[in-house]
Every structure is written in structure tokens, then in C-alpha cells.
Amino acid sequence: MSMRRVAVVGAGMTRFVRRALETPKELSWQAARMALDSCGLTLNDVGGVCIGSAPDAFDGVK
Amino acid sequence: MNNRVAIIGVGWAGFRPVTPEESYKELMYAAAARAYADAGVDPRRDVDGFVTVAEDFHEGTSIFDEYVPDQLGAAQRPVHTITGDGLHGLAAAVMQILTARFRVVVVEGHSKASNILTLPDITAYALDPILNRPLGVHPIAIAGLEAHAYLHETGTTREQCAGVVVKNRRNALKNPAAAYGAAISSQDVLAADIVASPLSRLEVSDHADGAIVLVLAEAGTARLSGHPVWVRGIGWATDSPSLESRDWTRAVYAERAASMAYTMAGIKDPGTEIHFAEVDDTYAYKELQHLEAVGLCGRGQAGRLMADGVIGPDGRLPINVSGGSLGVGHLLEATGLAKVLEVVLQLRGQAGSRQLRGVSTGLAQSWRGVPTTSGAATVLSA
């Protein structure tokens, strides 16, 4: 069994600012929108979502 | 995905309402040592990766990942901590093995709930901080609202929900690891204080301390082990957690998770191909709602199956023969692994006096608890 080959096909990133006026959800949405647009895919093409966020205390939510 | 990844070892420590003489590290060590002995593996020599499920706020440390390796024999090795239920950890381990870069992967989950003095406050911290948390709602009220919606929509009765508590607490009497085995009546359940209408205190699972460790392996290694239990399918899903827009009557996350697991396993008719199941019963109504969501019966039928004894230990479709969370105790992130543990023991024929006869395929399903709409499911076969 050989490893399935994997590629990054799209990416998005918000501006890094000292004090964003957007909520964390809005920032995530912007980056995800840019990533999908960059490769011409839609949410229906996405089989799974991975999010990295740690520790919880930084987000102020459990 | 048949016969590619198997559970080759299980170990657990607990489960008890309080464990003052042992730390979470000691519970993890005890469960791991037993799982490694059961699988016949040396963690430093034979295990290629370790996955733990843990929630920083339950542990009382930020970045809990750093507190995982030592007691598992995982120092200086690939270690991966997920803030999810145990079944999310199992899914991660399965995926690691399917990359063919890992032969043997360990999954760990634990609960030291008795250490947490402010659990409802921590759970309330999971509410949306901008729109929902300022309302100051006790998180269990969300379960009450959902229970009302489910009972109203399906015609399920409070008596049928009480029957789930009676069944699971009684099942737990035959499980030496269960913390809350008891012979109680429906009347006891219905007469108990209401904590969030319509839920009485006895319809809410109490927490327990403990740890569970599973050892997984790819097919070649698994076939050399004593009694592999194959992970035929696994799925997980999260619905929108928004209180404003979620479906309050259906467990959509469980429908999606089960559907994904069934597709992977090649299960066409779960009602006949699944012989028994351990489903989430954090609250009594949840067992019935989840039973319908995973397709083991039609919508609104679970309550009647309960009343008719079909999902009892001697029925056609035994559900939560371990005692479930109501009988074993709710184990925080390890809860899904407790479901898997029971399915493995049943499939191996090692379930003692609660052993089911003639079972070869079982389902384990989990939910992340209020206020989430996250869940996972896995199909296991001997």
C-alpha cells in the first residue's frame, strides 16, 4: 500500500492587523472564501475540514 | 474499507465517581499498560503514533498536548492531540494507518471530571461568545429545549425516556467497570427533581473518572494478534452549532456521521446488518433520538422499541448493554471510546455476564454534548 499523493490546490489569507474589527468567524470565512476562489472550487467539492486553533483560552471559547 | 485497520488491544482504568488517590496521568498510565499488554506491543518499540483526545479547559492546562506523551510511553514520538470526542481520535488514528506510514497507532481518552469544580461554567464557555453567552443560559437548558422539541415532534413520551434510564442503569449492574448501576423504576425517574424541563435529574448522566486506551494496527500486524476487531467504517460530522438556526428535533450530525461510516463499511441496511449498538445517552432522550438518526429504526419509533423491550439486553437490537453513559458514567472526551470498548468486548466474547450471543457487527456512536452539534460513528466487526 503506497501513500496517496496529496497537493495543496488553493490558499487564502486575511490581512494581519493589530486589532481586527472582524469576529474570528468572519476572519475564517474570509480566508476560506479566498482559498476556494483561488482554485475555483465550492463547498460542495470539500470532503472534510481541518481547523487548527489552540489553546482554547486564546479564542475565549471552549 | 473492510479488513484494513483493526483494534488489537484495549485497556481501561475506572470508572468511578471520584478517584482522589490517582491523577489523570496515573489513570492514563494504567489504561495504557493494560492495552499494551492486551495487544502484545511495546510502546517504545512497536507503536508508530499516539492520538489523545482532550479539552484544555477540562484538564486545567493550556496546550494539553504537552502533558500527553510521558505516561503513554510516547515521548520523542509522533503525538497528536485533538479537542474532540474519542471517536474523532479513533478516526485520526485510522487515517494515520491508511497513509501506510504508520503500522500501529494508539488512541487515548480520559476523564478526571471529579477534579472539575465548575463544569457547567466551562460548558457555558462553549456557547457563542457574542450572541448566546450573554444570555446567561445554563447549558443544560439547551438539552431541555431539544428534548421538548424531539418529544413533541415524534410523539415520544417522558415514560419512554424514563425507560431508557431504567434499562441502562440496570444493564450497568452487569458491568464491573460501571459507576452507576442501579435497580430503579420509571416512577423514580419521573418523580426526581426536574433540572431542565422536561429532564429530571435521573435522565442526566453523571460524570465518572477513568481512562481508555485502544491499540490499532494495519491488517498484516492485526492478523497476527489474538482477536482483531476490524474498523469497517468511521464517520464524523458537525452541524451548525448556532442555537438560532439548528434543527432542534433531529440529530443531523449523527445522521451524517452514520451515513459516512455505513458507506465506508458497505452497510446497506443498518437495521439488519448491525446486531447491537452503543449510542450516546448523555441524556435519556438522546439515546432514542440517536437510535433514529443512525438509521437503526424509523423516525419516532425508538420510544416504542424501548417500551416493547426490543432494545433491552435480551431484545432483538440491544442498545447500550454496557450501561451507557447513564450507567457507566459520562467520561467527557473518553465517552466515545467507552462505546467502542463495549463493542470490542462484545465482539471478542469477553463481556462477562452481559455477553450478547451471536453478534458479529456493532455500532458505536458519540456526541460532543451541549451546546455542540458534533458527533461520530463507527462500524466494527469481529
Side-chain angles (χ1 to χ4, degrees), chain B residues 173-258:
Chain B
L173 287 172
K174 289 190 172 180
N175 182 352
Y180 298 105
I184 56 172
S185 70
S186 289
Q187 207 43 49
D188 295 330
V189 178
L190 294 170
D193 292 343
I194 298 292
V195 292
S197 174
L199 306 177
S200 87
R201 186 176 55 75
L202 292 178
E203 289 176 82
V204 179
S205 57
D206 284 317
H207 289 90
D209 297 341
I212 300 172
V213 171
L214 309 178
V215 182
L216 277 75
E218 53 78 35
T221 307
R223 286 205 185 85
L224 297 175
S225 75
H227 24 231
V229 169
W230 299 95
V231 182
R232 289 179 54 194
I234 189 157
W236 62 100
T238 296
D239 196 1
S240 168
S242 158
L243 297 183
E244 294 81 358
S245 63
R246 66 169 63 182
D247 186 325
W248 284 87
T249 67
R250 284 167 55 205
V252 177
Y253 54 89
E255 295 172 12
R256 296 289 182 106

Side-chain angles (χ1 to χ4, degrees), chain A residues 1-4 23-25 47 49 53-62, chain B residues 4 55-58 62-63 97-101 122 125-126 128-130 133:
Chain A
M1 191 166 76
S2 63
M3 185 156 153
R4 195 176 193 183
T23 65
K25 280 188 174 184
V49 176
S53 167
D56 281 351
F58 285 1
D59 280 322
V61 290
K62 179 191 147 202
Chain B
R4 292 179 68 187
E55 188 83 67
D56 283 357
F57 284 4
H58 289 159
S62 273
I63 319 183
I97 289 174
L98 291 177
T99 65
R101 286 293 184 267
I122 290 175
Y125 228 61
D128 179 283
I130 295 163
R133 204 185 298 161

Side-chain angles (χ1 to χ4, degrees), chain B residues 76-153:
Chain B
Q76 302 181 357
R77 315 293 290 285
V79 181
H80 177 184
T81 303
I82 297 173
T83 54
D85 174 75
L87 283 188
H88 293 109
L90 180 68
V94 167
M95 288 189 283
Q96 289 187 359
I97 289 174
L98 291 177
T99 65
R101 286 293 184 267
F102 301 76
R103 273 187 323 113
V104 177
V105 177
V106 162
V107 184
E108 188 275 342
H110 58 275
S111 159
K112 195 73 195 292
S114 67
N115 277 4
I116 307 172
L117 301 178
T118 55
L119 194 52
D121 302 279
I122 290 175
T123 307
Y125 228 61
L127 283 164
D128 179 283
I130 295 163
L131 297 171
N132 297 148
R133 204 185 298 161
L135 299 173
V137 174
H138 190 293
I140 204 171
I142 296 166
L145 287 171
E146 187 184 67
H148 269 305
Y150 170 71
L151 297 187
H152 175 77
E153 190 76 17

Side-chain angles (χ1 to χ4, degrees), chain A residues 1-50:
Chain A
M1 191 166 76
S2 63
M3 185 156 153
R4 195 176 193 183
R5 298 187 64 186
V6 178
V8 176
V9 298
M13 184 172 81
T14 65
R15 279 197 315 139
F16 289 4
V17 296
R18 182 177 288 275
R19 197 165 281 136
L21 295 178
E22 295 85 353
T23 65
K25 280 188 174 184
E26 287 166 334
L27 289 172
S28 298
W29 187 90
Q30 288 182 4
R33 176 81 267 165
M34 284 184 250
L36 286 169
D37 287 348
S38 75
C39 57
L41 296 178
T42 72
L43 268 185
N44 289 333
D45 301 309
V46 176
V49 176
C50 241

Side-chain angles (χ1 to χ4, degrees), chain B residues 15-357:
Chain B
F15 310 106
R16 294 157 56 193
V18 291
T19 319
E21 76 286 11
E22 284 184 297
S23 71
Y24 74 85
K25 284 194 173 182
E26 289 165 316
L27 291 170
M28 287 171 71
Y29 176 84
R34 286 170 196 154
Y36 300 156
D38 184 46
V41 299
D42 175 338
R44 300 205 180 274
R45 188 189 63 209
D46 304 319
V47 177
D48 305 307
F50 300 80
V51 180
T52 278
V53 288
E55 188 83 67
D56 283 357
F57 284 4
H58 289 159
E59 307 297 342
T61 54
S62 273
I63 319 183
F64 184 72
D65 322 42
E66 302 301 309
Y67 296 83
V68 168
D70 293 341
Q71 60 276 22
L72 294 181
Q76 302 181 357
R77 315 293 290 285
V79 181
H80 177 184
T81 303
I82 297 173
T83 54
D85 174 75
L87 283 188
H88 293 109
L90 180 68
V94 167
M95 288 189 283
Q96 289 187 359
I97 289 174
L98 291 177
T99 65
R101 286 293 184 267
F102 301 76
R103 273 187 323 113
V104 177
V105 177
V106 162
V107 184
E108 188 275 342
H110 58 275
S111 159
K112 195 73 195 292
S114 67
N115 277 4
I116 307 172
L117 301 178
T118 55
L119 194 52
D121 302 279
I122 290 175
T123 307
Y125 228 61
L127 283 164
D128 179 283
I130 295 163
L131 297 171
N132 297 148
R133 204 185 298 161
L135 299 173
V137 174
H138 190 293
I140 204 171
I142 296 166
L145 287 171
E146 187 184 67
H148 269 305
Y150 170 71
L151 297 187
H152 175 77
E153 190 76 17
T154 60
T156 306
T157 65
R158 275 206 69 208
E159 287 72 18
Q160 290 165 341
C161 293
V164 171
V165 183
V166 174
K167 167 178 75 71
N168 291 3
R169 299 284 298 264
R170 184 174 293 277
N171 284 351
L173 287 172
K174 289 190 172 180
N175 182 352
Y180 298 105
I184 56 172
S185 70
S186 289
Q187 207 43 49
D188 295 330
V189 178
L190 294 170
D193 292 343
I194 298 292
V195 292
S197 174
L199 306 177
S200 87
R201 186 176 55 75
L202 292 178
E203 289 176 82
V204 179
S205 57
D206 284 317
H207 289 90
D209 297 341
I212 300 172
V213 171
L214 309 178
V215 182
L216 277 75
E218 53 78 35
T221 307
R223 286 205 185 85
L224 297 175
S225 75
H227 24 231
V229 169
W230 299 95
V231 182
R232 289 179 54 194
I234 189 157
W236 62 100
T238 296
D239 196 1
S240 168
S242 158
L243 297 183
E244 294 81 358
S245 63
R246 66 169 63 182
D247 186 325
W248 284 87
T249 67
R250 284 167 55 205
V252 177
Y253 54 89
E255 295 172 12
R256 296 289 182 106
S259 163
M260 181 173 163
Y262 293 153
T263 301
M264 210 180 282
I267 299 272
K268 303 270 189 304
D269 180 13
T272 59
E273 294 176 75
I274 305 282
H275 303 144
F276 69 106
E278 292 280 312
V279 303
D280 179 88
D281 62 329
T282 300
Y283 309 105
Y285 77 94
K286 272 292 186 186
E287 173 169 314
L288 302 176
Q289 185 195 39
H290 285 144
L291 207 53
E292 296 166 8
V294 301
L296 289 177
C297 66
R299 185 150 158 77
Q301 291 180 0
R304 194 148 36 83
L305 295 188
M306 173 64 240
D308 293 346
V310 174
I311 61 174
D314 303 315
R316 178 178 55 76
L317 181 66
I319 302 296
N320 287 334
V321 72
S322 68
S325 292
L326 289 162
V328 172
H330 194 280
L331 295 165
L332 301 178
E333 286 72 45
T335 298
L337 297 183
K339 311 285 184 197
V340 172
L341 173 65
E342 179 67 11
V343 175
V344 169
L345 293 177
Q346 291 287 349
L347 292 175
R348 285 176 168 190
Q350 295 177 343
S353 63
R354 66 186 187 284
Q355 179 65 48
L356 301 170
R357 296 192 185 284

